[in-house]
Each structure stands twice: as C-alpha cells, then as structure tokens.
C-alpha cells in the first residue's frame, strides 16, 4: 500500500510512482529489494511510496503520439524528483523517453522480467488463427505494425488503459484480441490469462520491455549508494544496447521501433526493426558483438536501420 504524504518527514526514502496496479507492484518490488539490501529500511515509515498522477494517466481517450509521446508517463514524476519532493522514481523502462532531463539519471535497473508480448483473445489461439478481419485493440504502433505485417486483413483499433482495463475491453467485445507485455502480467500475478505467449521472432518487444528502471538525481550520493546493490549488470547491458539503438533512430511514439538484446555467453545479440505504421514496410537488423561493446552494437544497428529506411521514413 502507498503511504500517506504525512509520513514524508519521517521517511528515509521517498519513492515516486504512477498509481496503476502495475506501477504500484513495481514500486513495491523496489521497496522489497531495498529492504533486503538495507535492513534498516524495514522500520515502519522508512520508505514512503508516493503516487503521482501523470498526463499520460489523465489522457486515457487519446493516443500517446497525438498528445506528446511516452514522456507523458514520466514528466510529473521527474518534476517531483527534481524539486526534491521524492528521492527516486520507479519506471517501466519501455515508457522512458530516449533522453532524460538534465540532472537525472537511471541509477539502477532491476533484474529484467520476460520481455515477450502475449496475445489475449476471445477467438483463436494465436495471431495466425484469429478470424479473418478480426479487430485487434492496441495503442502501440510497434505492435500494430508487426501485427499488420503478419496479418494485413486484421483491423487495428486504439485500446488504451491499464492492464485490467484492456483485458476487460476484450472480454466485453470491444475488440477480439489485444497484446500485452508478459512482464506486467507476471508482476500482477495474471500470466495465466494469456491465450498465447508470442515468440520474439513473431512480435519483437519494445525497447527495454520488462525492465524496471530507478531514476534519481545525478549528484544525490546518499540515495545512489542505497540503490547501487540493486543494479543488475546483465539487465543494464541489454537495456543500454537497446536504448543506444533507439537514440540513434531518435525514436518516439510516432515511429514503430522494436529491439531486443540477449546475452549469449560473452556475446550480445541485438535484433531491431523499424516499420511503417501499417506494416507495409519493415526493416530488420540482427547482429552480435562482444558484451563489452553493448552501446557500440546498439548504435551500429541504429545507424544501419536508419540507412536502410532512408531519410523520409523516420519523422
């Protein structure tokens, strides 16, 4: 449960988060890991979870690319962080803009959950078996483009809201199917409702999907020392690679972009794509490099995709 603001003066650490069930589950996981690393934080009131409503949460009836992109899920929380109202912010890394506000850093990444997407449908058992012309609800250009590339006959309609809302919309017939992140379902203990887990060869995930990032002030040594033991080096390497690719592509919610980095021993494999929103053109790249060259690999793949797509492809 989130603590009340009245506890703020006593809290050793104040966590800023959105108020959705998934966001609160992620904040609670962060608190649990902090307590495990620093037992003194287990005392009552030592950690406060503060809910901050973002523009993205308020604007539920419009697509993100129409109202400013994925930064709308982080802006107000980052403002609170810069103002000193909270000490850290817990984010789904796939929601994070390519570049952070000056003075803020992603100081820690928790171990990544399964990055794959799942299909939830009332008809069929896979994308291939959905009825001809079926309506798929999704507000994600990445998912929509890849679905249309696989099944041009399917109709994509906007479907926003938190996990529970989107599931309910499918169950009542607003759409035949939708796609959700498996990581979110696992964190909400709802993975059993998935009709099918989609292969990454079928639907490539969003950049950093499944990763929880903890944002803090760059010069806040007290807080950053508390966070240091929580950082997962493998997740950091993978997310660094994917976000480096995204940065080269200057990616936003207006362009379907997907990327997945995977460690294979001391090698790192990166698969990435850019697509037109209707899925009529999809450019893909797949390469490996030494794990120590994570950022370099991401930038290399980003440049190659940009070259393949051409100057008029990316807005």
């Amino acid at each position: 449960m989130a603590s009340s603001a009245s506890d703020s003066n006593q809290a050793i650490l104040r966590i800023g988060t959105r108020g959705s069930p998934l966001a609160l589950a992620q904040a609670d996981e962060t608190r649990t890991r902090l307590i495990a690393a620093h037992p003194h934080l287990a005392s009552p009131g030592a950690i406060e979870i503060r809910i901050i409503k973002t523009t993205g949460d308020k604007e539920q009836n419009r697509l993100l690319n129409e109202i400013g992109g994925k930064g709308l899920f982080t802006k107000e929380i980052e403002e609170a962080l810069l103002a000193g109202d909270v000490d850290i912010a817990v984010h789904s890394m796939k929601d994070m803009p390519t570049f952070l506000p000056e003075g803020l850093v992603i100081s820690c990444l928790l171990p990544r959950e399964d990055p794959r997407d799942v299909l939830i449908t009332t008809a069929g058992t896979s994308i291939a078996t959905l009825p001809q012309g079926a309506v798929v609800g999704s507000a994600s250009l990445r998912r929509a483009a890849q679905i249309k590339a696989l099944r041009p006959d399917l109709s994509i309609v906007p479907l926003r809201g938190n996990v529970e809302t989107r599931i309910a919309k499918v169950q009542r017939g607003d759409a035949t199917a939708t796609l959700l992140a498996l990581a979110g379902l696992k964190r909400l203990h709802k993975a059993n409702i998935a009709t099918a887990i989609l292969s990454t060869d079928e639907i490539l995930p969003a950049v950093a999907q499944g990763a929880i990032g903890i944002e803090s002030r760059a010069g806040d040594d007290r807080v950053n020392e508390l966070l240091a033991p929580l950082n997962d080096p493998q997740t950091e390497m993978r997310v660094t690679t994917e976000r480096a690719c995204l940065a080269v592509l200057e990616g936003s919610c207006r362009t379907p972009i997907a990327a997945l980095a995977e460690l294979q021993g001391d090698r790192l494999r990166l698969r990435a794509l850019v697509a037109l929103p209707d899925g009529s053109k999809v450019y893909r790249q797949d390469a490996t490099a030494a794990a120590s060259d994570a950022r370099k690999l991401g930038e290399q793949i980003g440049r190659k995709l940009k070259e393949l797509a051409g100057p008029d492809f990316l807005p």
Side-chain angles (χ1 to χ4, degrees):
M1 293 290 291
S3 302
S4 67
S6 61
D7 296 329
S8 297
N9 294 332
Q10 302 169 5
I12 296 172
L13 199 69
R14 297 161 298 166
I15 299 174
T17 178
R18 296 166 60 199
S20 72
L22 178 55
L24 290 172
Q26 293 179 164
D28 193 57
E29 179 179 341
T30 302
R31 176 167 55 185
T32 298
R33 290 179 181 275
L34 279 164
I35 290 170
H38 309 287
H40 71 283
L41 294 178
S43 60
I47 298 177
E48 174 195 352
I49 294 178
R50 177 174 291 187
I51 295 171
I52 300 170
K53 196 158 190 177
T54 68
T55 303
D57 296 313
K58 296 170 189 173
E59 295 282 353
Q60 286 293 316
N61 297 318
R62 299 168 66 192
L63 294 177
L64 292 180
N65 60 309
E66 295 175 348
I67 55 176
K70 60 175 73 175
L72 295 173
F73 284 125
T74 62
K75 181 175 178 288
E76 286 83 358
I77 301 175
E78 289 177 327
E79 288 172 348
L81 189 54
L82 286 167
D85 295 332
V86 296
D87 299 305
I88 65 173
V90 178
H91 303 288
S92 293
M93 280 303 295
K94 72 181 181 68
D95 291 335
M96 292 300 286
T98 313
F99 303 102
L100 303 182
E102 186 176 353
L104 299 182
V105 293
I106 298 298
S107 46
C108 151
L109 288 156
L110 303 187
R112 191 177 195 172
E113 187 46 275
D114 194 320
R116 292 176 293 176
D117 280 324
V118 303
L119 176 72
I120 294 177
T121 182
T122 55
T125 57
S126 64
I127 292 175
T129 60
L130 289 174
Q132 186 77 13
V135 174
V136 179
S138 179
S140 163
L141 292 182
R142 170 191 64 87
R143 288 171 175 147
Q146 292 186 80
I147 292 167
K148 292 292 282 186
L150 292 168
R151 289 281 307 272
D153 63 291
L154 297 178
S155 175
I156 310 294
V157 299
L159 194 70
R160 282 199 58 204
N162 61 35
V163 170
E164 293 84 353
T165 299
R166 283 181 277 171
I167 292 169
K169 286 180 178 180
V170 171
Q171 290 173 339
R172 71 172 180 244
D174 292 358
T176 305
T178 192
L179 272 63
L180 295 172
L182 177 57
L185 292 180
K186 283 190 168 186
R187 290 183 175 121
L188 291 170
H189 308 291
K190 292 179 180 290
N192 61 305
I193 69 165
T195 304
I197 298 174
L198 302 174
S199 160
T200 55
D201 292 326
E202 188 173 19
I203 301 291
L204 199 62
V207 167
Q209 184 158 301
I212 296 173
I214 303 178
E215 191 176 26
S216 64
R217 292 178 290 274
D220 194 336
D221 294 340
R222 177 188 74 88
V223 168
N224 291 333
E225 285 172 11
L226 289 173
L227 294 173
L230 277 63
N231 189 58
D232 182 68
Q234 290 192 6
T235 299
E236 182 181 15
M237 195 177 301
R238 295 171 66 192
V239 169
T240 295
T241 310
E242 294 167 25
R243 283 179 62 81
C245 178
L246 183 69
V248 170
L249 293 168
E250 300 172 350
S252 70
C253 281
R254 297 175 179 84
T255 308
I257 296 172
L260 179 65
E262 297 168 290
L263 276 166
Q264 302 171 335
D266 61 353
R267 304 286 291 176
L268 193 62
R269 179 190 182 192
L270 176 63
R271 288 176 287 158
L273 67 81
V274 294
L276 287 178
D278 65 1
S280 59
K281 286 187 180 178
V282 181
Y283 295 97
R284 301 176 186 268
Q285 282 291 290
D286 183 341
T288 61
S292 56
D293 289 331
R295 188 177 300 278
K296 185 177 177 181
L297 175 62
E299 291 172 347
Q300 172 192 325
I301 292 295
R303 286 192 297 269
K304 185 64 177 175
L305 284 171
K306 206 168 187 177
E307 179 186 322
L308 285 171
D312 300 326
F313 196 88
L314 297 165

